Amino acid sequence: MNHFNYKDKELYCENIPVKEIAGKVKTPFYLYSSATLTRHFNVFDRAFSGHPHLICFAVKANSNLAVLNLLGKLGAGADIVSGGELHRVLKAGIPADRIVYSGVGKTEKEIREAAKADILMFNVESMEEMDAISRQARRLKCRTRVSFRVNPDVDANTHPYISTGLKKNKFGLPMSQALEAYKVASDRDELDVVGIDCHIGSQLIQVEPFVDAIGRIKSMLYELKGFGIRLKFIDIGGGLGIKYQDEIPPEPDAYAKALLSEIKDLPHCLIIEPGRSIVGNAGILVTKILYTKDTEEKRFYIVDAAMNDLVRPSLYEAYHEILPVIETNTHLHPADIVGPICETGDFLARERPMPDLNQGSLLAVMSAGAYGFTMSSNYNSRPRVSEVMVKDDHFKVIRKRETYASLLRGETVW
Ligand code: LLP
């Protein structure tokens, strides 16, 4: 459930017409509903309430300070993958003891910063990374909590670019090497081995792969116990899918029930790293038709948002529903909704049945709250768009639109 709804044929975000916001902040812009964010987080959190757990929001999905601050206040922790994300999360007020650090290529500088901040744990993805963490912990004279990310070799049945739990993927330690890694790490004074982690992929619409993965983690836990290695945390990663078109993803309740039924007798704290399921349907991208063009072949709506603003359709051929901000009753006619960028791959939708719309009409690209702004770029020297948050009948610009000056920041002629 989200808070983007039509009232009298006009799209609202909570209690404000989207058109009113567009009139004030100009298009294109990302628009987030704080009520939806809150609801999604609370539903997720409640679903796991029967077991000790921590929800570490995957910051890569949406790293706006206001979004992180809101989730942090609701009790969320953070799953980060870079020094930049660590910086944001701390600035947003999320306590260090709720931060887990994932990623295959953490630099020594990033490791030092996170160890210094005393984050909850590093999810370690290779033996060499473990050595780097050891080095930095010794240098800082601290003991650092680690968990190993294992690769359970589970098929997540999702887009190959966002499938991460197969042997051929770069992520995690193969199960066959994990035992050795745990033994080595447990013998090191500067490392406190506290958990086991996996993340099998994103936009999963079945619970079975998660259950499979947690089953494999459980066997590993028993094996480790045999060697006297006892852990406190099981981190199952993120990946729960959302409805973009006609997918029927499991509800958080069903997802939680399936996971908890596997671990209900275990004392471990469960960490979950959802990104998309919290923010995906809490955000839209609002754009305006600059020009309409009917050719013999096709109808084009050329809009002011482009692949640099929302790359998902171009990169993954992802489907995002596109709705007119003011509903019209005309017949539907297939149209390509394209941006101003000089690439044929610059589209938000192709052959999409759309009503007859005019120059100046506003469109809402739905389900754009996750991996929307965070994956945007300045390609074609386009300033990145603003981000706006709504609370009931108020809105606030939570990130200003970039200017031409921001485009040139740091550059110099020589
Ligand atoms: N934890 C780890 C270690 C991850 O790598 C990811 C996502 C998550 C959690 C959160 O997954 P989620 O709950 O959002 O599915 N750009 C792609 C998605 C890439 C996901 C990368 N990892 C997209 O736009 O679909």
Side-chain angles (χ1 to χ4, degrees), residues 58 60 79 162 199 202 238-239 273-276 312 316 371 375:
K60 62 175 81 69
D79 164 51
I162 52 178
H199 168 78
S202 199
E273 304 170 354
R276 192 189 314 265
R312 301 194 72 257
Y316 315 114
Y371 308 106
M375 291 182 81

Side-chain angles (χ1 to χ4, degrees), residues 16 27 44 82 91 94 116 123 140 166 184 199 204 212 223 234 282 284 302 321 346 399 404-405:
I16 312 193
T27 54
F44 213 97
S82 70
K91 281 266 179 246
I94 297 185
K116 229 178 178 167
N123 287 332
L140 293 165
L166 284 171
V184 175
H199 168 78
L204 271 69
D212 248 26
E223 207 175 333
I234 300 174
I284 64 174
I302 302 155
E321 190 178 17
D346 177 26
R399 191 185 205 273
Y404 292 153

Side-chain angles (χ1 to χ4, degrees), residues 56-60 77-81 85 100-102 123 273:
C56 291
F57 172 67
V59 174
K60 62 175 81 69
D79 164 51
I80 59 164
V81 289
E85 286 192 351
V100 298
Y101 192 163
S102 308
N123 287 332
E273 304 170 354

